Amino acid sequence: MINIKSSSEIKLMEIAGKIVSDTHKHLEKHIKPGITTKELDELACNFIIQSGAVPSFKGYGGFPASICASINEEVVHGIPSNRKLKNGDIVSIDIGACYKGYHGDSAWTYPVGKISPEKQFLLEHTEQSLYEGLKVIKAGARVGDIGNAISKYIENFNLGVVRELVGHGIGNKLHEAPDVPNYGNPKTGPLLKEGMVIAVEPMINLGTREVYIKDDEWTVVTADNSPSAHFEHTVLVTKSGIKILTKR
Ligand code: MG
Ligand code: MG
């Protein structure tokens, strides 16, 4: 069953979403060569707590940190560590915050210093694919329309759409029904209704779409070691479209 949020629940989710986007803004200033992902994790954790929320990911399924930080060929679920970011890296930062029991969730991939034209291309088109997916959402659309819009857009650029991981409903649980895949057929899948809240999150690889999980049992990496990008917004479904709750 897909939850329809009440207006009071939506108010809390708007605050949670704002805390997530503010945390991104706060971290972005610090994403430079030399900083470790553990330092970024601490900055995010402190910021979320000062904002009156708690980090959604800490302890979720046993995840050991407040944010996911995935560098280059790491797709998602990278564990913050003492590894220093280097000039030319890209780093995907996924942030979740829970405010009075309700979650917001947003990921963004950042360049570190000066990146290659290939990585720039990957970032631009992954971000745009998120917006292509968001464009088709409104009450009466179906979940398959979203994945279809994302994969149709990405097909033009010969990039790999990761299929093993998907977007999701969100509310008083971080992951709720429905699954929101980044591929699919139009007019198929669950019906979207006013008051549903979903996280749409394309994960796109510069090479093959194939991925595997590393020995740490968390970090998902590309099978061919090519770089990967991840952009995610939490959005409220409205009668005529969406409201982005994690707007930057
Ligand atoms: Mg996320
Ligand atoms: Mg998510």
Side-chain angles (χ1 to χ4, degrees):
M1 205 201 79
I2 306 174
N3 292 320
I4 306 282
K5 272 70 184 179
S6 68
S7 57
S8 59
E9 288 179 306
I10 290 166
K11 281 202 183 90
L12 296 176
M13 296 197 75
E14 283 173 337
I15 298 170
K18 171 92 165 60
I19 292 169
V20 170
S21 66
D22 287 347
T23 308
H24 268 291
K25 272 184 228 155
H26 179 62
L27 284 197
E28 189 170 13
K29 294 180 283 192
H30 295 274
I31 297 177
K32 288 183 188 140
I35 194 161
T36 69
T37 50
K38 202 172 194 156
E39 288 169 319
L40 292 174
D41 183 63
E42 282 161 10
L43 286 165
C45 182
N46 291 336
F47 190 90
I48 291 168
I49 289 168
Q50 279 163 18
S51 307
V54 291
S56 302
F57 302 163
K58 204 165 207 170
Y60 186 84
F63 190 76
S66 298
I67 62 169
C68 301
S70 310
I71 303 169
N72 298 332
E73 76 283 1
E74 297 173 352
V75 181
V76 287
H77 304 166
I79 300 171
S81 73
N82 290 321
R83 178 171 170 183
K84 285 183 177 158
L85 296 178
K86 295 200 309 277
N87 187 47
D89 285 342
I90 54 173
V91 62
S92 300
I93 304 287
D94 198 348
I95 301 175
C98 182
Y99 180 76
K100 296 191 176 168
Y102 286 84
H103 297 274
D105 187 7
S106 174
W108 219 254
T109 302
Y110 297 95
V112 182
K114 189 167 164 39
I115 62 171
S116 69
E118 292 78 15
K119 283 179 171 170
Q120 190 60 45
F121 178 86
L122 174 70
L123 263 50
E124 278 173 26
H125 292 302
T126 307
E127 181 178 357
Q128 188 56 37
S129 78
L130 168 61
Y131 292 112
E132 296 297 321
L134 297 182
K135 262 188 219 170
V136 301
I137 302 175
K138 60 179 180 184
R142 289 186 180 268
V143 166
D145 296 328
I146 303 170
N148 183 255
I150 291 168
S151 58
K152 272 269 174 320
Y153 176 79
I154 289 297
E155 265 172 25
N156 297 320
F157 306 103
N158 204 23
L159 299 166
V161 179
V162 176
R163 293 187 167 220
E164 285 79 358
L165 299 128
V166 297
H168 49 93
I170 178 168
N172 58 11
K173 295 201 204 73
L174 180 60
H175 295 119
E176 298 184 351
D179 281 350
V180 183
N182 297 305
Y183 60 94
N185 295 315
K187 300 193 172 88
T188 64
L191 185 66
L192 296 172
K193 295 180 186 165
E194 200 176 350
M196 289 180 178
V197 182
I198 57 174
V200 179
E201 48 180 314
M203 289 147 263
I204 308 295
N205 303 340
L206 194 55
T208 174
R209 70 172 171 83
E210 306 296 333
V211 298
Y212 68 94
I213 301 175
K214 277 170 80 167
D215 289 343
D216 65 13
E217 294 182 357
W218 279 106
T219 315
V220 177
V221 293
T222 57
D224 61 1
N225 244 22
S226 64
S228 185
H230 182 205
F231 288 79
E232 175 185 30
H233 271 313
T234 297
V235 303
L236 169 69
V237 180
T238 68
K239 202 176 274 179
S240 57
I242 54 167
K243 179 172 187 190
I244 300 178
L245 303 185
T246 47
K247 202 173 183 100
R248 302 169 66 77

